[in-house]
Amino acid sequence: MFYRQKIARKLSEEKGTGAFMLLFFRSLVSLHRWRDRLFTCKMTAIPSRLLAVFLLATTCLCGSLFADQKFDDLRKAAEQGDANSQKNLGNAYDNGEGVAKDQVEAVKWWRKAAEQGHAVAQFNLGCAYANGEGVAKNPVESVKWMRKAADQGDADAQHNLGNAYFVGEGVGKDLVEAVKWDRKAADQGLANSNSLPNID
């Protein structure tokens, strides 16, 4: 209990990932030294299995606190307008990593990043509109954001844009445009591209 209280107190005094990690590893080192002293003195009152469970529980507690701190830092950066953090926060909500899964929130943060020109966020937002996840399905909006990402060289967006032209979903059917975008994706090594017919 002493070590947990010490960790909690230190966490309230020291902020930042670096300080947390330093404290985390120091606490583990202290615990292992304490264990060694117990065995050296042949104190058999505390079984080794019980000690192992205690060490594991303490490690899990520290890991959980670290994850919470990491998510809080990510949200803070996103709220301050960092596009990459906004994209990553959207991914966290989409996958339920460090927070309850919420596709509406995912779309919200992807949109913020996409409006700043983040290509991956634009692609993610395009997928959300294509699949109707976190937002009403809208093929036209999907193509709009896929094109923005494709123009920046995102291979997945180029491939999806090619498919949209091929089937005429969200945009007029155009085989020439379909092949053009599919080839751009293939030129970047996207494995499932370059499957459309040749148009020369």
Side-chain angles (χ1 to χ4, degrees), residues 6-181:
K6 185 176 181 180
I7 289 171
R9 185 173 66 252
K10 283 290 185 179
L11 283 175
S12 66
E13 296 172 354
E14 300 180 48
K15 295 182 179 180
T17 302
F20 178 86
M21 290 302 293
L22 180 61
L23 175 62
F24 172 61
F25 285 116
R26 281 179 177 173
S27 65
L28 288 184
V29 170
S30 297
L31 284 168
H32 283 292
R33 288 175 178 169
W34 176 62
R35 178 202 62 186
D36 292 340
R37 286 199 294 271
L38 283 178
F39 289 132
T40 300
C41 297
K42 297 183 179 179
M43 294 178 64
T44 57
I46 301 179
S48 59
R49 287 184 181 178
L50 180 60
L51 182 59
V53 170
F54 173 73
L55 291 171
L56 179 61
T58 304
T59 302
C60 292
L61 171 66
C62 292
S64 177
L65 291 171
F66 174 66
D68 291 343
Q69 181 65 41
K70 184 177 180 181
F71 182 80
D72 289 343
D73 290 343
L74 177 62
R75 173 176 283 279
K76 182 177 180 180
E79 289 173 345
Q80 291 176 347
D82 180 73
N84 197 54
S85 296
Q86 291 170 340
K87 183 268 295 181
N88 288 338
L89 185 57
N91 290 353
Y93 275 110
D94 183 50
N95 298 317
E97 295 177 351
V99 67
K101 188 169 183 175
D102 188 333
Q103 291 181 319
V104 173
E105 277 293 302
V107 167
K108 166 188 165 181
W109 289 106
W110 284 337
R111 188 185 305 280
K112 288 178 181 291
E115 289 173 348
Q116 293 195 68
H118 195 292
V120 176
Q122 291 169 342
F123 168 76
N124 290 347
L125 188 56
C127 289
Y129 273 113
N131 299 319
E133 296 176 345
V135 68
K137 188 172 182 178
N138 189 329
V140 175
E141 278 293 302
S142 175
V143 167
K144 167 189 167 182
W145 290 107
M146 286 294 176
R147 186 185 303 279
K148 288 178 182 291
D151 285 339
Q152 293 194 69
D154 186 283
D156 290 313
Q158 291 170 342
H159 174 66
N160 285 5
L161 185 57
N163 284 344
Y165 273 112
F166 185 70
V167 300
E169 187 172 2
V171 67
K173 191 170 183 177
D174 188 329
L175 192 55
V176 174
E177 282 293 302
V179 171
K180 180 185 87 171
W181 287 107

